Amino acid sequence: DMVEVGNICIDKYEASRKDATETDQGSETDMAYSKKGVMPWMVNPMTSEDYEKFKAACEAAGKRLCKDDEWISACEGPERLTYSWGNDWERTTCNNVDTFCDQFCEENDIPEAACNLNENCGYEYYCFKVLPTGAFEDCTNFAGAFDISGNVWEITDTGSGYRIKGGAFNCASPVTRLKCTYAAGWKELYAGFRCCKD
């Protein structure tokens, strides 16, 4: 359930709960799991209490919350990429606000020429959604960890608190916010996490 990144291992998938399913994130909070095909564990808004719960859930799994620099290294990889998948923005590689704009147009008989595929088109069509872990086959980092960019924001441990990284399925300006180096400065968002291990 983990992949090797430098001298640590990082969860292959965003953290989920034991009783998570493909359509429901479940309710058990005793331990974090790294599992494909289930709804990620997420909260909105993000609070310091949730940060403590996330840390405890990783520890119960014999792991720990990923440090901020570890998460960035896992996202950028040895080549110091802009996004987890590469340096060029690709609207449909990872789950973001604009991923399903063309699908919305097709399903609603909007002609191709009239279909808005510009950044933030998902807000015009309201077609964004969180998806089960690992749903995007190409949304991986160099080591094979899924959804580091997109789906839900991910909490990292700074040593004195937390940062919010990775962008999400519903955030505006995905070209900027899914970058490996971007950190959210607000707490009203869908935040999840993944665990690391030495």
Side-chain angles (χ1 to χ4, degrees):
D1 64 349
M2 304 187 90
V3 294
E4 194 175 329
V5 175
N7 61 352
I8 63 151
C9 288
I10 190 169
D11 279 351
K12 195 171 183 179
Y13 302 103
E14 292 167 326
S16 58
R17 294 176 165 122
K18 182 179 182 179
D19 57 343
T21 67
E22 191 178 347
T23 57
D24 185 85
Q25 68 167 313
S27 59
E28 293 187 29
T29 59
D30 57 332
M31 190 166 101
Y33 293 81
S34 172
K35 212 166 34 169
K36 183 177 181 175
V38 296
M39 281 301 199
W41 182 342
M42 58 187 163
V43 297
N44 184 11
M46 179 63 200
T47 67
S48 54
E49 291 80 16
D50 291 311
Y51 166 60
E52 295 301 332
K53 277 184 192 171
F54 292 171
K55 283 199 325 187
C58 284
E59 286 165 14
K63 306 173 185 178
R64 57 176 172 73
L65 198 57
C66 296
K67 295 175 187 168
D68 193 59
D69 61 335
E70 293 169 340
W71 188 96
I72 292 171
S73 291
C75 185
E76 292 180 333
E79 295 179 32
R80 306 287 303 266
L81 300 172
T82 305
Y83 305 99
S84 62
W85 66 83
N87 287 318
D88 298 321
W89 172 249
E90 297 171 7
R91 181 177 55 84
T92 58
T93 298
C94 293
N95 190 16
N96 69 85
V97 70
D98 297 336
T99 300
F100 298 103
C101 292
D102 46 359
Q103 184 179 323
F104 178 90
C105 291
E106 273 180 45
E107 291 170 355
N108 291 276
D109 298 320
I110 298 171
E112 194 174 322
C115 184
N116 176 12
L117 298 180
N118 295 320
E119 189 173 21
N120 300 320
C121 59
Y123 284 123
E124 179 180 338
Y125 300 135
Y126 206 77
C127 58
F128 49 87
K129 56 195 167 195
V130 68
L131 288 172
T133 55
F136 284 75
E137 191 177 293
D138 296 326
C139 186
T140 62
N141 74 342
F142 72 99
F146 288 81
D147 305 316
I148 288 180
S149 300
N151 213 30
V152 295
W153 291 97
E154 296 188 19
I155 302 312
T156 62
D157 198 337
T158 65
S160 59
Y162 65 88
R163 278 209 181 88
I164 305 169
K165 310 288 288 181
F169 70 96
N170 68 331
C171 63
S173 306
V175 174
T176 298
R177 292 179 176 167
L178 267 68
K179 287 181 177 178
C180 295
T181 54
Y182 187 85
W186 65 99
K187 298 182 181 183
E188 290 72 31
L189 42 66
Y190 289 91
F193 63 105
R194 73 180 69 218
C195 306
C196 284
K197 191 172 185 176
D198 294 317

